[in-house]
Amino acid sequence: MANDQGNTRIGYDTLKLTGSKVITMMIVMVSSMMLSRFRSLTEYGTYSQLLMATNLVCSLLMLGLPNSINYFMAKAQTQEEKDKFLSVYYTLNTILSLAVGLVLVLATPLLEIIFKNQLIKSFWYFLAVFPWTKIVMSSVEHLLIVCKKTNVLMIYRIVNSAALLCIILLVQLFGGTFTTYMILYLATEVIFTLWTYWQMLKCTSHFKISFNKNLIKTIFTYSIPIGVASMIGTVNIELDKLMITGFFSTEKLAVYTNASRELPVTIVATSITAVLLPQMVRLLHNDKKDEAVKLWNSATTISFAIICLIAAGCFVFAPEVITILYSDKYLGGVGVFRVYCLTLLLRCTYFGMLLNATGTTKAVLKSSIGALLLNVSLNYVCYFAFGFVGPAVATFLSSVSMNLFQLGYSCKKSDIKFRDIFPWKNCFLLLILNAILGACLYFAKNYIVSTIHINSVLTAILLGCCWTIVFMVLSFSRLKSEWIFLNKER
């Protein structure tokens, strides 16, 4: 079986996944730009509403199921156990996704009222089938990583996004209608969904439709807390915007929304987590606790180095970054943007990694609920203390609290000392290095702009390049050793 062949080299697998995500993200951005230009406002609005309804219902009803693949497949000791899990998982996933489609079709009259759009009923078939494709395809990343097919996953992502881009071009080239586009879009997703099933069958020696009640209960016990925690996390992210809506104008909300938008550098950490979690499960299951923690620390150090460099650069050159990304109309959000740059540092890893790897997902749920409640209270306190920037500060503080709780609980669960569970020293040194470089280049930028009168954006770009080179030279030795350890064959 493919899932038992070869060894996992976490660093290289992460690099491939990150690269494919960057390429996919660029293609998706181009697709969105073209679709919004080629279709009318009504058509594009209808498209957005259909996706919004589907995504919302799917996020509520997926119940964290895709995350269970990493845990149960990595934990399985025999091919028979893997076959048993995949049979139950895909049976359950398929039925759940078809049920979501039925719910959406029955809710079509309600959606027409909510969105005030009579065109929605014309796309009932989309509401019926698209949830199935979305839910089943959400498992493909976890499946292929556990089966050690990262090259296949990388190609899949690029081909899928490129195919959807080609559909837009073909429909526009041949003068197709919006209905034609939606049918072709759905047909393409159906093809890739069937391909996901095929990949699953290649990872099994025997698949059958299965409703093993005990295993279903075990899967839900693991996945539901993660799914609920994910939903709570979404509410937590939107909470500060709700606060701004209540106290400020629509224009201020627009500024805050863009200033608080998370930069896509977290794909590094998410890629590492996706590859690392199955390895952590195997190591912990084989009582190799120290190696599992060291592996996590090495991955976190590399992730933190990349994210810290970008976050610190964006913090120092915040006015220039905002101007490049959103225009100078949004410079009023510089303070908010800088606070979120600090929050970005907390995205260097998934702090609940050890809890997920040991199946202690209820602790993840508890920490998410605690973070939400803390954020609610801190939003009011910080708003009156700091004004417009206050909700961003509240988000930062609640995130720090949640991460510390997860690390502390991980120590308790695994009997690992707090000083050993996270690469505190490495991250502190990287942070200090960037702080020193950032302070020097901040004053250098102000001096160059005020005395030589070079454009501040151009100056920031040139200084940012110098910053990156100096940082990489000074930290190369440490990061190289972590990279080598990360890629040891296991």
Side-chain angles (χ1 to χ4, degrees):
M1 288 299 102
N3 51 324
D4 294 321
Q5 296 172 353
N7 293 292
T8 297
R9 295 191 296 174
I10 294 171
Y12 289 110
D13 283 347
T14 297
L15 197 61
K16 288 184 286 189
L17 289 179
T18 301
S20 67
K21 280 187 176 182
V22 170
I23 295 172
T24 300
M25 184 175 61
M26 293 174 64
I27 296 175
V28 170
M29 288 176 63
V30 173
S31 297
S32 297
M33 291 169 60
M34 294 176 63
L35 190 62
S36 61
R37 284 166 173 76
F38 291 160
R39 308 318 317 181
S40 69
L41 287 175
T42 301
E43 291 172 340
Y44 190 75
T46 302
Y47 168 79
S48 300
Q49 289 167 348
L50 291 169
L51 290 185
M52 186 189 307
T54 304
N55 291 338
L56 180 60
V57 175
C58 286
S59 65
L60 292 173
L61 298 180
M62 275 200 297
L63 304 174
L65 282 175
N67 296 285
S68 65
I69 294 179
N70 277 340
Y71 179 75
F72 287 98
M73 285 289 286
K75 188 179 178 181
Q77 295 296 300
T78 65
Q79 185 61 45
E80 182 181 355
E81 290 179 354
K82 295 175 183 178
D83 292 347
K84 184 178 179 181
F85 168 75
L86 289 176
S87 295
V88 171
Y89 176 88
Y90 277 94
T91 300
L92 185 63
N93 218 18
T94 301
I95 292 175
L96 178 63
S97 60
L98 294 175
V100 172
L102 179 61
V103 169
L104 283 171
V105 170
L106 295 176
T108 299
L110 179 61
L111 293 176
E112 288 181 344
I113 296 173
I114 293 174
F115 293 124
K116 300 176 183 178
N117 186 350
Q118 297 297 315
L119 286 177
I120 288 180
K121 64 184 177 183
S122 302
F123 299 100
W124 62 269
Y125 56 87
F126 185 89
L127 294 172
V129 178
F130 188 65
W132 167 65
T133 67
K134 180 177 176 59
I135 292 176
V136 174
M137 287 172 64
S138 67
S139 67
V140 70
E141 175 174 318
H142 304 281
L143 175 69
L144 293 179
I145 288 174
V146 172
C147 293
K148 299 178 182 179
K149 295 183 178 182
T150 50
N151 288 332
V152 177
L153 176 59
M154 181 174 62
I155 295 171
Y156 157 79
R157 278 185 178 146
I158 296 173
V159 172
N160 177 251
S161 54
L164 296 178
L165 175 61
C166 288
I167 289 173
I168 299 174
L169 293 173
L170 288 173
V171 172
Q172 182 64 19
L173 182 64
F174 291 101
T177 64
F178 178 61
T179 300
T180 303
Y181 166 74
M182 292 299 288
I183 292 174
L184 291 176
Y185 174 77
L186 186 60
T188 302
E189 294 294 81
V190 168
I191 291 172
F192 279 96
T193 302
L194 295 176
W195 180 86
T196 300
Y197 282 114
W198 180 55
Q199 287 298 318
M200 178 270 296
L201 292 174
K202 290 176 66 176
C203 290
T204 64
S205 59
H206 178 67
F207 175 84
K208 64 178 181 179
I209 297 175
S210 175
F211 297 95
N212 187 305
K213 293 182 180 180
N214 291 331
L215 184 53
I216 290 175
K217 181 180 178 180
T218 304
I219 292 173
F220 277 141
T221 300
Y222 176 86
S223 65
I224 287 179
I226 298 177
V228 176
S230 178
M231 287 187 288
I232 292 174
T234 302
V235 174
N236 212 0
I237 291 172
E238 299 298 327
L239 188 63
D240 51 354
K241 298 184 184 69
L242 294 174
M243 175 67 72
I244 294 298
T245 301
F247 288 99
F248 293 95
S249 64
T250 303
E251 291 75 15
K252 279 286 189 179
L253 176 62
V255 172
Y256 191 97
T257 299
N258 274 350
S260 64
R261 197 182 303 277
E262 188 173 271
L263 299 174
V265 297
T266 52
I267 59 175
V268 178
T270 56
S271 296
I272 288 177
T273 299
V275 178
L276 185 60
L277 185 56
Q279 289 295 307
M280 293 275 289
V281 172
R282 292 190 186 101
L283 290 172
L284 291 170
H285 187 72
N286 293 323
D287 294 324
K288 296 181 179 179
K289 179 176 61 177
D290 293 337
E291 186 177 354
V293 173
K294 173 57 180 171
L295 197 62
W296 184 20
N297 285 351
S298 293
T300 302
T301 298
I302 293 173
S303 176
F304 187 84
I306 298 170
I307 291 177
C308 185
L309 173 64
I310 297 173
C314 291
F315 184 94
V316 171
F317 302 127
E320 290 74 26
V321 174
I322 287 179
T323 300
I324 294 172
L325 293 177
Y326 311 119
S327 82
D328 55 8
K329 293 188 297 183
Y330 294 90
L331 288 176
V334 166
V336 174
F337 183 77
R338 281 181 166 147
V339 173
Y340 271 90
C341 286
L342 296 178
T343 305
L344 203 62
L345 297 175
L346 305 176
R347 306 291 189 259
C348 63
T349 188
Y350 172 42
F351 286 82
M353 179 81 75
L354 201 60
L355 298 175
N356 270 30
T358 56
T360 318
T361 53
K362 288 184 179 179
V364 177
L365 175 57
K366 290 178 181 177
S367 65
S368 298
I369 294 174
L372 177 61
L373 296 175
L374 182 61
N375 198 12
V376 170
S377 58
L378 285 178
N379 256 277
Y380 285 95
V381 175
C382 291
Y383 164 71
F384 290 110
F386 304 107
F388 187 61
V389 183
V393 175
T395 296
F396 174 74
L397 294 177
S398 61
S399 297
V400 170
S401 301
M402 179 180 70
N403 293 341
L404 290 176
F405 172 84
Q406 290 180 348
L407 286 180
Y409 202 92
S410 296
C411 292
K412 180 180 178 181
K413 182 69 179 177
S414 59
D415 197 28
I416 298 172
K417 294 181 180 179
F418 192 74
R419 67 171 180 266
D420 297 327
I421 202 165
F422 188 82
W424 302 104
K425 181 180 178 181
N426 289 343
C427 292
F428 178 74
L429 292 176
L430 291 168
L431 185 61
I432 291 298
L433 175 58
N434 275 304
I436 294 172
L437 291 173
C440 294
L441 295 181
Y442 174 79
F443 290 111
K445 184 205 74 172
N446 290 341
Y447 176 79
I448 292 172
V449 172
S450 61
T451 58
I452 307 178
H453 304 295
I454 298 179
N455 180 270
S456 64
V457 173
L458 178 61
T459 302
I461 293 174
L462 294 175
L463 291 177
C465 292
C466 295
W467 184 345
T468 302
I469 293 171
V470 173
F471 173 78
M472 293 307 298
V473 169
L474 294 177
S475 59
F476 179 77
S477 178
R478 163 53 59 186
L479 296 179
K480 181 181 178 181
S481 64
E482 300 292 354
W483 179 260
I484 291 174
F485 178 79
L486 203 60
N487 286 288
K488 284 175 58 179
E489 293 187 347
R490 294 175 174 83

